[in-house]
Amino acid sequence: MTQVEVEAPPENVWQVVSDVERWPEFLPTVRRVEPLGSEELGPGSLVRISQPWMPVLTWRITEWTPGRSFTWQARSGGVTTTATHVIAPRDGGSTLTLGIDQTGLAAPLVGLLTGRRTRRYVETEATHTKRRAEQSV
């Protein structure tokens, strides 16, 4: 889990976090984001994401609390990856928490092979999201 203090109100942070189609504009860890449906994002929505040095995954939103958080999951090769994005208000700004968890029979092997890169990506995403949200203040 990675946590950063953001000098922007929660609504600014949510705007950046929830606008997943724009992630490739400011996240070096994301090449392409493709929503697989025409509806507004919410529970059940599918999004295909391409990242450098990672397999292309389709993520299904499992929890969606506008202005506060969302969780999504991707399944591939015997592993379920769950990613969380949580925004909490604090005096003078927000706290952004990004988490990632892998379960399944192959999770230990996948963690061994990609764990360091995954942790680095999450840290980079938190830092760049913070920067983007603070620019919009």
Side-chain angles (χ1 to χ4, degrees):
M1 197 167 291
T2 298
Q3 208 171 58
V4 293
E5 302 299 318
V6 184
E7 301 307 317
E11 54 272 12
N12 290 47
V13 182
W14 175 253
Q15 181 60 42
V16 174
V17 168
S18 65
D19 193 0
V20 298
E21 289 182 78
R22 291 184 166 253
W23 287 4
E25 295 176 12
F26 65 94
L27 292 179
T29 58
V30 179
R31 286 189 177 145
R32 187 167 179 222
V33 175
E34 179 186 1
L36 302 177
S38 57
E39 74 277 352
E40 200 172 300
L41 289 182
S45 295
L46 298 173
V47 180
R48 184 177 298 130
I49 297 182
S50 172
Q51 296 184 273
W53 307 104
M54 297 290 223
V56 174
L57 294 175
T58 298
W59 295 83
R60 176 181 300 278
I61 296 176
T62 57
E63 297 175 34
W64 184 266
T65 306
R68 171 110 171 94
S69 66
F70 80 91
T71 300
W72 54 15
Q73 290 185 330
R75 291 180 169 83
S76 177
V79 177
T80 298
T81 303
T82 303
T84 57
H85 312 75
V86 179
I87 301 152
R90 65 169 181 80
D91 286 342
S94 309
T95 301
L96 172 63
T97 304
L98 302 180
I100 197 150
D101 184 50
Q102 294 179 314
T103 58
L105 290 175
L109 178 60
V110 170
L112 186 64
L113 296 173
T114 65
R116 185 175 298 154
R117 177 177 291 124
T118 299
R119 285 187 297 279
R120 192 172 62 244
Y121 278 17
V122 171
E123 290 169 5
T124 298
E125 290 164 8
T127 301
H128 282 75
T129 300
K130 167 187 167 67
R131 190 174 303 145
R132 179 80 163 209
E134 289 175 346
Q135 288 173 351
S136 67
V137 173

